[in-house]
Amino acid sequence: MATPVSICSAALVMLGDKPIASLTESTDRARSVANVYPTERLAFLRAHPWNCAIKRENLAPDTTAAKFDSYARFELPPDCLRVLSVGTEDDLPGGYRIEGRFILYPDTVAPLRYVADISESSWDSSMVHAMGVRIAAKLAYAITGSATLAATLAAPAA
């Protein structure tokens, strides 16, 4: 089961460094990964519709009506990182708007498909590996001093 520490340790090992036991240990490498990991984790989840992170939910309208149009307003779930679709396959594409943490949709229920903020313990092995590489790429120059290694890790896989 993956954890932030296991993913960050794998990234450090990819860079030829030692693994860490905790993100709060008082070493430069632990402080480096602890500084980068939270932001990179959210960007990583948002960047791709990972199968294990996709959720579906039928949203009920918010009590506040949308202003200036006839759409109902629906609050996004707290774990929603990226909206993949709203409505059914029969609906016209683009039949909704996202404003802040709300969806405007012309119906009484908004069928939502989205990427959720799921814990690392729910990630599949390909996600764990890809996140390790992402963290390694982010820290490669700082830890190794090698611009070549940093560029190699940051390059898209062929």
Side-chain angles (χ1 to χ4, degrees), residues 32-78:
S32 293
V33 294
N35 184 45
V36 169
Y37 189 79
T39 305
E40 288 300 313
R41 178 187 173 280
L42 292 176
F44 174 75
L45 281 166
R46 238 184 246 112
H48 182 77
W50 302 101
N51 289 340
C52 60
I54 294 174
K55 287 188 177 179
R56 292 174 185 256
E57 194 168 321
N58 285 319
L59 303 179
D62 188 57
T63 56
T64 305
K67 296 179 181 178
F68 311 130
D69 54 31
S70 61
Y71 285 23
R73 191 173 97 152
F74 302 83
E75 187 171 7
L76 289 169

